[in-house]
Amino acid sequence: MSLLVVDGLGITFGGLKAVDDVSFAVAPGEIVSVIGPNGAGKTTLFNMISGIYRPGRGRVSLNGTDVTETPPHKLAEMGLSRTFQNLQIFQDMTVLDNVLAGYHLTERGSIWADLLALGSMRRRADKAREGARGLLARVRLDKAAEQMAGNLSYGALKRLEIARALALGPKILLLDEPAAGCNAVESEEIDRLIAELAAAGIAILLVEHDMKMVMRISNHIVVLDHGEKIAEGDPATVSRDPQVIAAYLGTENAEGAHADG
Amino acid sequence: MTWRNKWLQLAILAIAIAVLPLFFPSGYYYRVGALIFVNALAVVGLVILIGYAGQISLGHAGFAGIGAYACALAPEHLGLHPALSPVLGAVVSGVLALLIGRPILRLKGYYLAVATLGFGILVSMVLTNERALTGGPDGMQVADLGLRAVLRDLGWRLSGGEFWYGASGIVLVLGAWIALNLFDSPTGRAMRALHGSEVAAATVGVDVARQKLRAFVISAVYASVAGSLLALQNGYITPDVAGFLHSVEMVTMAVLGGVGSVLGATLGAAILTLLPQVLTVFAEYEQLVLGAVMILVMIFLPQGLLPSIARRLRGRDE
Ligand SMILES: Nc1ncnc2c1ncn2[C@@H]1O[C@H](COP(=O)(O)OP(=O)(O)OP(=O)(O)O)[C@@H](O)[C@H]1O
Ligand SMILES: [Mg+2]
């Protein structure tokens, strides 16, 4: 059964249909990519699914429950996690604290325990800290754990966001351009990490401009243009679709299409 | 990050409080010290609200007023023991903060500043206008705590100044301990996270509205206890304690010292409490010099005194 079902989702910003009647589904362990030129509505779609924007129309359901009006922190409790295209890092916190914040749902407890530093709080925090260090090692940021997050490079912050998103132990992970601004080595690492996560049964919804990566790792691709879904299918089908070629892949290589927007 | 280290900060604070009296030229300085500690306690509360959670309040003197007048009114009208009055004040302040915080904290930035400002003004007007109860602008007498007499019976003779220096100092260390506990706890992390990015905090499961409210309530209780201590040590209280200027003074102390740092808050409180006393040599230009000092600090040390100094020290060995 599908974990995430998006049904007829749409939103309008001052007359502009940023997303219009988009439907698709993601199953556990599946990698679904959303592609489309700049301004196609990919990030807006993510913002609606993750509860940041309230959809104008349509429904989102998670594990069979309607979550269309559910606020982000409740969606997190239900196992939905995400990263951001324009980094949303807790700049004035250490790298480790950023990931620990991702453990909020498992490390939180009574406020009195927090104020008085009771043993119960310390045990919860220590457990989260152990997990956080493991995740940092996984994205190769363990050496930077005590640094202020604001001092990290762009590529490192991208990986930090992934580690923080993983701290929730998500069932479904939304990644908005995780490899943007990363060098070839970093891209490949993120590529491999995504494949590992999917293999572990996490549903992945991915927005990425790196077409080579998208074609290689996706099980299913949804193509947006001007807010509308113009095609969907497996990578081979999508890359042969005439409408997709016209809208997006037409300029031979994907990077070119990206730059032309 | 040694300066963030909880026990180091607490040790510095406790040792400073214990050692400073050795250098006091006269008993009068115990009074000044006690006043600094009371101000610092309120400012530590604001560090939680402003520094951790990133929310502003220009009305926290309102809570100080509630704490202060609880000590003035409760023993006489409710027959409450003076030692329990601060607890009553803290409970009333906490509940009130919970009630008004819910709608107010939806606002951001200067909207929030104005809304909290309104709350502070409201409290101070009630205290000024309810003459029958509060004595109006002339203020009212506050019953003695009675603890000093108990100590005297136990053979420990302290002057009023000495007693309040010690008592306020102990409460300040306790307040600093709690604030530092919070900093490195799940709740503190959630507060600091929403300060950095509300959207990202929400997506990792932080109930942003709830955590803001917690910070507001906790800081209100700090202000209330500080107000109570002020009333008790002065033995007299006027509505000025709840006034707008007092609110602004608290925020200024927090920002000057370094708004994310508990020790910085204490330093800010100390400087702004002492400076007017030192600047009396400038006579009518006192306020002018005070303002100039504040502007210069913010221009050259925009993080506030302590974090800027700490950063500079760290920068040297990096
Ligand atoms: N909050 C908003 N208010 C008004 N317009 C918006 C808002 N968010 C997005 N838009 C508009 O909606 C359209 C879709 O934007 P969106 O960011 O979703 O595109 P995208 O596919 O993610 O593009 P990119 O590849 O550049 O990231 C754009 O025209 C954008 O200007
Ligand atoms: Mg986008």
Side-chain angles (χ1 to χ4, degrees):
Chain A
M1 199 189 91
S2 293
L3 183 64
L4 177 78
V5 178
V6 172
D7 180 23
L9 218 52
I11 193 169
T12 321
F13 294 120
L16 170 83
K17 284 185 173 171
V19 172
D20 189 17
D21 195 20
V22 171
S23 306
F24 61 89
V26 190
E30 193 183 19
I31 302 177
V32 173
S33 291
V34 180
I35 63 169
N38 290 119
K42 307 178 294 291
T43 298
T44 306
L45 179 68
F46 268 31
N47 283 342
M48 286 191 287
I49 295 172
S50 58
I52 293 165
Y53 291 166
R54 178 190 291 243
R57 51 182 300 258
R59 310 244 60 105
V60 180
S61 72
L62 193 60
N63 231 344
T65 317
D66 187 324
V67 294
T68 316
E69 309 270 296
T70 308
H73 69 270
K74 291 285 178 204
L75 287 171
E77 288 177 14
M78 298 173 73
L80 183 139
S81 183
R82 69 168 290 180
T83 66
F84 297 86
Q85 178 182 0
N86 58 334
L87 295 167
Q88 295 286 335
I89 290 289
F90 310 132
Q91 303 269 351
D92 293 334
M93 294 168 73
T94 64
V95 168
L96 182 64
D97 274 354
N98 265 266
V99 182
L100 277 177
Y103 278 95
H104 179 70
L105 292 172
T106 42
E107 74 158 353
R108 70 179 167 178
S110 129
I111 177 78
W112 300 107
D114 288 10
L115 291 171
L116 303 176
L118 300 183
S120 63
M121 181 280 279
R122 287 204 303 273
R123 275 190 297 279
R124 277 183 273 117
D126 284 347
K127 209 157 154 223
R129 207 165 268 130
E130 203 176 300
R133 289 199 184 274
L135 284 176
L136 282 176
R138 202 160 172 195
V139 297
R140 282 196 311 105
L141 284 173
D142 40 336
K143 296 223 169 55
E146 306 300 335
Q147 276 186 45
M148 282 294 159
N151 298 338
L152 261 53
S153 71
Y154 187 81
L157 290 177
K158 280 274 173 192
R159 283 179 282 141
L160 176 57
E161 275 217 350
I162 295 176
R164 185 181 67 193
L166 287 176
L168 304 190
K171 292 199 189 76
I172 177 160
L173 181 60
L174 279 57
L175 299 166
D176 198 347
E177 304 204 12
C182 295
N183 60 37
V185 180
E186 288 170 331
S187 288
E188 195 160 316
E189 280 172 10
I190 289 172
D191 190 335
R192 195 171 336 125
L193 180 63
I194 294 172
E196 278 171 26
L197 296 172
I202 300 177
I204 308 276
L205 188 58
L206 174 71
V207 167
E208 185 50 63
H209 276 299
D210 181 345
M211 277 309 126
K212 275 197 232 102
M213 175 168 162
V214 168
M215 293 298 163
R216 190 168 53 234
I217 67 174
S218 308
N219 302 112
H220 191 85
I221 297 176
V222 175
V223 189
L224 295 188
D225 191 21
H226 297 296
E228 287 177 50
K229 182 173 82 178
I230 57 166
E232 77 175 307
D234 60 45
T237 315
V238 163
S239 56
R240 266 188 270 108
D241 189 299
Q243 241 187 313
V244 175
I245 295 168
Y248 189 66
L249 299 169
T251 40
E252 186 60 43
N253 79 33
E255 287 311 307
H258 180 191
D260 298 346
Chain B
M1 297 281 281
T2 43
W3 65 282
R4 277 255 168 94
N5 183 293
K6 174 167 102 180
W7 293 110
L8 182 69
Q9 290 201 51
L10 284 174
I12 292 173
L13 188 61
I15 291 171
I17 292 172
V19 168
L20 277 176
L22 298 177
F23 304 97
F24 286 171
S26 76
Y28 166 75
Y29 286 84
Y30 283 103
R31 287 277 176 200
V32 179
L35 185 61
I36 289 176
F37 300 156
V38 164
N39 284 336
L41 184 67
V43 178
V44 169
L46 281 184
V47 164
I48 294 171
L49 182 69
I50 306 176
Y52 294 8
Q55 308 301 305
I56 185 74
S57 170
L58 290 181
H60 259 51
F63 297 115
I66 291 168
Y69 277 85
C71 291
L73 294 169
E76 191 187 326
H77 293 276
L78 302 176
L80 200 65
H81 190 277
L84 289 177
S85 308
V87 179
L88 176 69
V91 170
V92 172
S93 290
V95 170
L96 201 61
L98 201 65
L99 292 177
I100 66 160
R102 223 176 270 273
I104 277 186
L105 289 165
R106 291 211 195 101
L107 307 171
K108 287 191 183 22
Y110 39 78
Y111 298 105
L112 179 61
V114 171
T116 49
L117 177 76
F119 164 74
I121 289 175
L122 208 74
V123 173
S124 107
M125 280 196 9
V126 169
L127 293 177
T128 310
N129 293 340
E130 291 296 317
R131 276 166 200 278
L133 203 60
T134 66
D138 296 336
M140 65 185 298
Q141 214 79 40
V142 179
D144 186 66
L145 185 59
L147 189 58
R148 196 151 65 92
V150 174
L151 290 178
R152 192 171 46 231
D153 293 342
L154 293 174
W156 202 6
R157 292 183 164 277
L158 295 173
S159 74
E162 286 166 346
F163 173 78
W164 284 111
Y165 182 91
S168 316
I170 289 168
V171 177
L172 173 61
V173 172
L174 207 63
W177 176 69
I178 288 173
L180 290 167
N181 287 341
L182 188 65
F183 183 88
D184 195 22
S185 75
T187 302
R189 268 188 285 281
M191 287 172 181
R192 292 185 286 137
L194 78 88
H195 186 178
S197 163
E198 287 193 18
V199 169
T203 56
V204 294
V206 174
D207 186 339
V208 169
R210 184 182 160 89
Q211 298 297 349
K212 283 183 185 175
L213 195 58
R214 277 184 170 179
F216 193 67
V217 170
I218 294 170
S219 65
V221 169
Y222 270 84
S224 181
V225 173
S228 293
L229 286 175
L230 187 72
L232 288 168
Q233 73 185 37
N234 287 346
Y236 201 84
I237 200 73
T238 70
D240 284 348
V241 67
F244 171 58
L245 278 180
H246 190 205
S247 286
V248 172
E249 192 182 48
M250 285 184 196
V251 174
T252 312
M253 286 171 175
V255 174
L256 188 80
V259 80
S261 139
V262 166
L263 217 49
T266 313
L267 188 67
I271 290 174
L272 277 193
T273 310
L274 284 175
L275 219 48
Q277 320 236 357
V278 177
L279 294 179
T280 44
V281 293
F282 292 101
E284 64 261 47
Y285 296 112
E286 179 195 319
Q287 298 292 325
L288 200 79
V289 177
L290 189 62
V293 168
M294 275 154 51
I295 292 172
L296 289 175
V297 169
M298 287 341 285
I299 290 175
F300 292 107
L301 305 170
Q303 311 271 316
L305 281 173
L306 204 66
S308 301
I309 294 168
R311 184 163 297 192
R312 244 158 244 210
L313 289 178
R314 251 183 331 194
R316 223 184 292 155
D317 29 80
E318 260 167 25

